[in-house]
């Protein structure tokens, strides 16, 4: 009986924390679900709040605009993940070697991770790609490329690149930890068997990295799906809605359009879609890791 009593006492210590976490996370979510069934325009208080059932879901979540922005959200996430996986792997392989100034290089490569998303958007929009003052725009003019303005002409790709620049250090650090966990004896045995450097990477290092890829891709997907600051400052979702994601659409509907009920329906729909994507991604990643 004593172990059972001790276990109950240990669990009882967790209850206050669990109650606080439940209040902080679940009450706002339940309130959002409640508002998603209401028609509430902040600029028309005379109309009050009217119960509309699933009307907001029918007009917002099932609309053609929502579908187009959902595809853009998936495109931004996919492009960012591909860039993060490729660049993160190259930099992790570089930092897994010994060279002069390695500590300084690693510190500089991690720096984007600590830059606020709004600051990232300002740097890319005003310092690098501004049509009037951007450094890269000026360099493009020097080599004869006129009208170079990717923030307007390739807004979706530029937003994806900004987000990838922000989160690439996370991928690099996780993959570097995976590379440093590989037993040196296995790589040495592969070299003695005649494997080239690429053979060691393909047959030894890459299979070891798959569990690390699974973890960092899941984390990266969660973070990238929530991207907002880079879009808000960099392109404001434009031109038109060409670089808008679902997070920005929720903000635009609630704050600019002042439609709280419609924005709540978009938010709930976004959460459901995110859970479906993450569940499918996790199952696919687990299947790949088990096969290797």
């Amino acid at each position: 009986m004593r172990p059972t009593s001790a276990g109950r006492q240990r669990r009882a210590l967790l209850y206050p924390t669990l109650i606080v976490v439940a209040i902080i996370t679940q009450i706002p979510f339940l309130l959002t679900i409640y508002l998603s069934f209401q028609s509430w325009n902040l600029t028309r208080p005379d109309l009050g709040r009217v119960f509309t059932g699933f009307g907001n879901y029918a007009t917002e979540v099932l609309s053609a605009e929502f579908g187009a922005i959902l595809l853009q959200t998936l495109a931004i996430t996919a492009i960012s993940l591909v860039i993060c996986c490729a660049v993160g792997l190259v930099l992790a392989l570089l930092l897994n070697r010994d060279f002069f100034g390695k500590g300084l290089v690693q510190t500089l490569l991690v720096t984007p991770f600590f830059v606020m998303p709004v600051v990232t958007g300002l740097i890319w929009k005003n310092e690098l790609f501004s049509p009037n003052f951007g450094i890269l725009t000026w360099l493009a003019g020097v080599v004869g490329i006129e009208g170079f303005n990717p923030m307007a002409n390739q807004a979706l790709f530029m937003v994806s690149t900004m987000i990838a620049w922000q989160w690439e250090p996370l991928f690099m650090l996780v993959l570097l930890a995976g590379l440093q966990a590989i037993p040196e004896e296995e790589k040495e045995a592969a070299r003695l068997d005649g494997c080239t450097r690429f053979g060691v990477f393909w047959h030894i290092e890459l299979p070891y990295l798959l569990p690390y890829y699974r973890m960092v891709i899941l984390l990266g997907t969660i973070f990238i799906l929530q991207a907002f600051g880079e879009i808000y400052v960099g392109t404001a979702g434009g031109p038109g809605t060409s670089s808008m994601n679902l997070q920005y659409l929720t903000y635009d509907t609630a704050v600019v359009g002042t439609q709280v009920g419609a924005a709540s329906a978009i938010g709930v729909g976004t959460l459901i879609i995110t859970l479906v994507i993450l569940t499918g991604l996790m199952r696919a990643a687990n299947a790949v890791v088990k096969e290797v």
Side-chain angles (χ1 to χ4, degrees), residues 128-198:
L128 297 179
F129 294 103
S130 169
N132 299 319
F133 311 107
I135 297 174
L136 297 182
T137 305
W138 174 75
L139 290 174
V142 170
V143 298
I145 302 176
E146 300 296 335
F148 183 71
N149 188 9
M151 296 297 287
N153 300 329
Q154 303 293 333
L156 186 69
F157 182 76
M158 294 307 296
V159 165
S160 305
T161 308
M162 274 193 291
I163 296 172
W165 183 79
Q166 178 93 41
W167 291 107
E168 166 274 322
L170 172 66
F171 284 67
M172 178 191 71
L173 292 175
V174 172
L175 296 179
L176 179 61
L179 287 172
Q180 292 179 345
I182 299 174
E184 192 62 33
E185 293 80 6
E186 292 195 21
K187 292 192 285 187
E188 186 62 29
R191 295 190 191 98
L192 292 175
D193 288 340
C195 275
T196 61
R197 179 66 188 89
F198 180 77

Side-chain angles (χ1 to χ4, degrees), residues 72-80 156 159-160 163 224 231 243 245:
Q72 290 175 188
T73 305
L74 297 177
I76 291 172
T77 305
I79 294 172
S80 302
L156 186 69
V159 165
S160 305
I163 296 172
I224 293 171
I231 299 175
S243 62
N245 67 352

Side-chain angles (χ1 to χ4, degrees), residues 13-256:
L13 294 175
L14 297 176
Y15 292 153
T17 303
L18 293 176
I19 292 173
V20 172
V21 171
I23 291 174
I24 293 175
T25 60
Q26 299 307 310
I27 288 181
F29 178 60
L30 295 175
L31 181 61
T32 303
I33 294 176
Y34 168 74
L35 292 175
S36 69
F37 296 114
Q38 308 283 323
S39 175
W40 184 16
N41 189 334
L42 291 177
T43 60
R44 295 294 305 275
D46 55 305
L47 298 178
R49 283 184 289 177
V50 179
F51 179 76
T52 60
F54 289 94
N56 288 327
Y57 291 93
T59 57
E60 300 295 334
V61 179
L62 300 180
S63 67
E65 182 187 35
F66 184 91
I69 295 176
L70 171 60
L71 293 178
Q72 290 175 188
T73 305
L74 297 177
I76 291 172
T77 305
I79 294 172
S80 302
L81 285 176
V82 169
I83 296 174
C84 285
C85 288
V87 177
L89 176 61
V90 171
L91 296 179
L93 290 171
L94 171 67
L95 293 177
N96 198 37
R97 298 168 176 266
D98 292 326
F99 57 87
F100 177 75
K102 177 180 174 180
L104 176 61
V105 172
Q106 182 169 343
T107 302
L108 293 175
L109 291 176
V110 173
T111 301
F113 194 53
F114 300 104
V115 178
M116 295 176 64
V118 173
V119 178
T120 299
L122 288 173
I123 292 173
W124 282 63
K125 179 182 179 181
N126 297 330
E127 303 297 332
L128 297 179
F129 294 103
S130 169
N132 299 319
F133 311 107
I135 297 174
L136 297 182
T137 305
W138 174 75
L139 290 174
V142 170
V143 298
I145 302 176
E146 300 296 335
F148 183 71
N149 188 9
M151 296 297 287
N153 300 329
Q154 303 293 333
L156 186 69
F157 182 76
M158 294 307 296
V159 165
S160 305
T161 308
M162 274 193 291
I163 296 172
W165 183 79
Q166 178 93 41
W167 291 107
E168 166 274 322
L170 172 66
F171 284 67
M172 178 191 71
L173 292 175
V174 172
L175 296 179
L176 179 61
L179 287 172
Q180 292 179 345
I182 299 174
E184 192 62 33
E185 293 80 6
E186 292 195 21
K187 292 192 285 187
E188 186 62 29
R191 295 190 191 98
L192 292 175
D193 288 340
C195 275
T196 61
R197 179 66 188 89
F198 180 77
V200 173
F201 166 75
W202 187 257
H203 296 291
I204 304 295
E205 293 177 333
L206 189 58
Y208 263 101
L209 289 179
L210 288 180
Y212 293 88
Y213 260 125
R214 176 182 57 182
M215 178 183 67
V216 77
I217 286 176
L218 288 174
L219 288 175
T221 302
I222 294 172
F223 294 138
I224 293 171
L225 284 173
Q226 298 175 358
F228 176 79
E230 298 91 341
I231 299 175
Y232 179 77
V233 175
T235 65
T241 60
S242 61
S243 62
M244 191 178 288
N245 67 352
L246 291 178
Q247 297 294 333
Y248 194 91
L249 176 63
T250 306
Y251 156 80
D252 190 65
T253 305
V255 178
V256 180

